[in-house]
Amino acid sequence: MSIEISSLNPGAVIETKAAQLSVAPTEGRLSLRARGNTVAALGATLGLALPDRIGRRAAVGEIEAIRLGPDEWTIHAPAGDAARLTAACAALAAAHPHSLVDISGREVTLLVEGPKVAELLTLGCPRDIAAIPPGEGRRTLFDGATVVLWRDAADRFRMDIWNSFASHIARLLETGCKELAAETA
């Protein structure tokens, strides 16, 4: 059974035998840039040790971070916590210079899961999906758009996409779901 993802509202679903695609509930997102001893201080303020290697993730409760670059992290938190976390980190700015920006309105997260999810993602992603271990993630491209893949399990990913590309990517994934399902039929 297939339901069009046209509005990209949380809960919209495409479901086939190969994979399922849904829109995740809205959450707070922060983009953090920091270096040196500032990283540990900010991690303590956020309540988790920020990952020390690109692609690694860390989580405490509902707050989760992924390291995307040498001095860059994305942090997911409950929607109501983004302002609180931003204010707490701003109090450290004089002693620990950094950039922390609320990007909650910039992106949407798609949940992509199922027995053929890795194959589905290779339809638009040049990265070796199998090389991303569960519990890690990567920034990559999907059909030319920058996305962040969070691999939650062998058969489950979250994909953060800028709003301006989300409908396009959702349609590509929907087509891929249907094509993979047709192959297994």
Side-chain angles (χ1 to χ4, degrees):
M1 181 166 152
S2 174
I3 300 171
E4 264 321 293
I5 293 187
S6 56
S7 61
L8 291 176
N9 292 319
V13 174
I14 302 299
E15 188 169 359
T16 69
K17 292 178 183 176
Q20 176 179 314
L21 172 65
S22 61
V23 180
T26 303
E27 61 185 357
R29 302 168 204 274
L30 302 171
S31 175
L32 172 64
R33 303 294 297 259
R35 290 187 177 159
N37 66 352
T38 297
V39 174
L42 289 168
T45 300
L46 294 167
L48 76 160
L50 291 167
D52 61 354
R53 189 178 62 106
I54 294 171
R56 287 235 171 111
R57 295 167 35 187
V60 172
E62 294 183 273
I63 299 174
E64 184 175 19
I66 184 170
R67 189 166 190 170
L68 297 176
D71 66 348
E72 180 182 6
W73 293 261
T74 291
I75 300 155
H76 283 196
D81 285 351
R84 177 185 62 78
L85 294 172
T86 302
C89 290
L92 301 176
H96 300 286
H98 66 279
S99 170
L100 183 66
V101 178
D102 185 338
I103 57 169
S104 302
R106 180 179 81 181
E107 298 175 346
V108 64
T109 298
L110 297 179
L111 303 174
V112 189
E113 55 194 327
K116 298 256 183 187
V117 68
E119 190 175 345
L120 173 63
L121 292 174
T122 63
L123 297 175
C125 182
R127 182 175 285 280
D128 180 2
I129 299 300
I132 304 171
E136 290 197 11
R138 302 291 186 273
R139 178 180 7 227
T140 188
L141 295 174
F142 193 90
D143 196 47
T146 301
V147 302
V148 176
L149 289 176
W150 304 67
R151 189 165 199 172
D152 295 324
D155 62 352
R156 185 174 196 273
F157 287 82
R158 285 176 284 154
M159 181 187 286
D160 294 345
I161 311 160
W162 282 30
N163 289 324
S164 55
F165 294 101
S167 292
H168 169 70
I169 290 176
R171 280 192 295 277
L172 290 174
L173 289 169
E174 177 182 18
T175 300
C177 283
K178 291 175 181 177
E179 288 174 358
L180 290 171
E183 288 177 7
T184 60

